[in-house]
């Protein structure tokens, strides 16, 4: 992971401010926003090539389970993001993060949800997307499950 000095300082400042707010009552939303901001900045510099195979298998299973749930929850942000991606991909072929963000109407929660959908972590929403050279794609190991989601959702 290679982070420039400005990004490093922004992340450090966000986390430092969040740590001071933890002790203040009623600041939970602000703390969450700052931590998510720092995680989003870090995720943009993440080297996903170092993922471990065991965690990858667990992630595939997690996504398979969650996609079944998302089929019945069209108003959930994860469902909206994936559905928007599938619609854009069928029209445009290539999809960028900016196009996807514009397609999803609730931009305020797009960044944190989208980040959670492109990383492998214990408490993520399930890795669905990869980004290569600015192009958003479905993460290869879960394509078959996304195809099922697409069919079951009528997209």
């Amino acid at each position: 992971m290679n982070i420039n000095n400005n990004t490093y300082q922004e992340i450090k400042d966000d986390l430092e401010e969040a740590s001071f707010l933890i002790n203040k009552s009623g600041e939970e939303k602000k703390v969450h926003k700052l931590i998510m901001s720092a995680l989003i900045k870090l995720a943009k510099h993440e080297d996903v090539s170092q993922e471990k195979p065991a965690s990858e298998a667990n992630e595939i299973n997690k996504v398979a389970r969650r996609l079944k749930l998302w089929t019945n929850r069209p108003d959930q942000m994860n469902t909206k993001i994936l559905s928007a991606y599938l619609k854009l991909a069928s029209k445009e072929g290539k999809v960028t993060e900016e196009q996807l963000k514009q397609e999803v109407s609730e931009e305020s929660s797009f960044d944190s949800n989208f980040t959670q959908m492109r990383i492998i972590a214990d408490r993520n929403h399930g890795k669905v997307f990869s980004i290569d050279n600015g192009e958003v794609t479905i993460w290869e190991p879960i394509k078959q499950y996304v195809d099922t989601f697409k069919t079951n959702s009528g997209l």
Side-chain angles (χ1 to χ4, degrees):
M1 182 181 311
N2 188 12
I3 300 175
N4 68 39
N5 288 338
N6 288 341
T7 302
Y8 173 82
Q9 191 60 47
E10 287 175 2
I11 293 167
K12 183 179 177 217
D13 291 345
D14 286 350
L15 292 172
E16 203 170 79
E17 186 176 347
S19 70
F20 288 120
L21 289 171
I22 286 174
N23 291 329
K24 287 186 177 179
S25 174
E27 297 288 345
E28 294 85 2
K29 286 186 178 185
K30 188 172 181 182
V31 171
H32 180 265
K33 183 179 177 184
L34 288 165
I35 291 171
M36 287 310 300
S37 173
L39 289 171
I40 288 166
K41 289 170 188 166
L42 283 172
K44 289 180 180 179
H45 300 280
E46 186 174 15
D47 181 6
V48 295
S49 65
Q50 296 182 12
E51 295 167 354
K52 295 182 176 111
S55 66
E56 189 173 291
N58 292 338
E59 192 68 17
I60 292 166
N61 292 332
K62 180 196 310 185
V63 172
R65 286 189 314 272
R66 293 202 174 163
L67 285 173
K68 289 176 187 174
L69 297 173
W70 296 354
T71 301
N72 299 317
R73 298 177 182 168
D75 293 330
Q76 187 172 322
M77 182 52 82
N78 299 324
T79 307
K80 289 179 180 182
I81 292 171
L82 180 54
S83 297
Y85 170 83
L86 293 169
K87 288 175 188 173
L88 282 171
S90 69
K91 283 191 265 181
E92 308 290 331
K94 292 184 176 184
V95 178
T96 66
E97 184 175 346
E98 191 57 40
Q99 288 172 306
L100 190 54
K101 186 174 186 174
Q102 288 175 357
E103 186 73 18
V104 177
S105 60
E106 299 166 37
E107 290 186 30
S108 63
S109 62
F110 174 85
D111 287 331
S112 62
N113 282 282
F114 183 69
T115 297
Q116 292 291 316
M117 294 175 75
R118 63 185 201 89
I119 61 171
I120 293 178
D122 287 340
R123 294 179 175 238
N124 71 345
H125 297 179
K127 180 174 172 72
V128 175
F129 300 109
S130 294
I131 299 182
D132 289 319
N133 297 321
E135 181 182 352
V136 177
T137 58
I138 298 296
W139 184 43
E140 190 66 38
I142 57 106
K143 279 188 177 185
Q144 66 184 16
Y145 302 109
V146 171
D147 290 341
T148 302
F149 168 86
K150 186 176 179 179
T151 301
N152 292 342
S153 298
L155 299 173

